[in-house]
Amino acid sequence: MERGVGFHRYRRHAKSSSASTMVLPNDSNNNTTCNGDQQAPPPPPPPPCMVREQDQYMPIANVIRIMRRILPSHAKISDDAKETIQECVSEYISFITGEANERCQREQRKTVTAEDVLWAMGKLGFDDYIEPLTVYLNRYREAENERNTSHGDQLLFLKRGMEINHHGPIGMPPPYGSGYPMGHFSGMLDAAAAMGGGGYYRDLAGSGASSTAQNALASFDPFVQFK
Amino acid sequence: MRQAGIYSGVVSGGRSGPHLLPLARIKKIMKKSGDDVKMVSGEAPIVFSKACELFIEELTQRSWTVAMQRKKKTLHKEDVASAVLATDILDFLVNLVSDSNNPLDLAPVERETLVS
């Protein structure tokens, strides 16, 4: 099936020096005019044999998963709709990034930041996204700060202790007692563990943890649930 | 004392995983958006991972609305194309959704609106 190629993406291919942009099906080392060569004169339109490079798109399974959140369960999605939306996402990223990058250049900065991205979205009409994205970004930053400070490590560790531990006393301060709402937290911790919670324990073991944490370490094995 | 659920918005966000879309891939696409995109902060792909979710949701919602108006149960590319044409902020996608097989044309949905 011949597929239309986005205008913008074609232009980027023409400028790009990356070897991965255009591939012929039978010979991946073939340096024909299909290659995006910066020195060559403007190349002819991409030949029908061009293979769709997957690494310039979001993985289609992820795209479909997000689509299914919106669609009713009986809805079906044609393959061309899936691919079209997949292409639209990449085009969206390029579109916003282009605007953000122009702003960086005007202000003589080299790095495109999260703020630049948010600004570009506002400028290009995606204002509705700004608030939820700002909330998301702030939560991410909070979580990073928690991870990066030793206080955060202890805090996380103590909370894990509450979650896993029924082996014995930890010596936790009163706020973490029985009145503390922990029900919904377990899911989060499991996910955090999957994400790399093991790293916290390595750090904690190596760092100068407080005596509270160390006593807790001695009394039970925090990994028992995760082995 | 900090509240529980510090990780909630980021790690699960009520959903399946930390980031639904791969950050490295996002960064690659950002860098390809222009020759002069040199450096990208670590947080920018993270903003995009969420933004792309919102974008996919919005585009899907609009496209599905068109499909429903056409009394269809399957979402097709032409439904996406119609949604793009009907939405100002999606103008940047107009060339992408139209190709030589489907020359740029008003969707039947819009035509009906104009006639009536």
Side-chain angles (χ1 to χ4, degrees), chain B residues 4 6 9 14 17 20 23 33 43 47 62 64 68-69 78 92-93 98 103 106 110:
Chain B
I6 285 167
L20 213 55
L23 300 178
S33 72
E43 289 178 334
V47 171
R62 290 179 180 274
W64 180 245
M68 281 200 298
Q69 286 171 353
E78 53 260 25
F92 69 100
L93 294 173
S98 74
L106 283 180
E110 289 170 294

Side-chain angles (χ1 to χ4, degrees), chain A residues 180-199:
Chain A
Y180 201 68
M182 295 295 266
H184 74 285
F185 200 38
S186 57
M188 317 304 173
L189 283 180
D190 290 339
M195 223 169 72

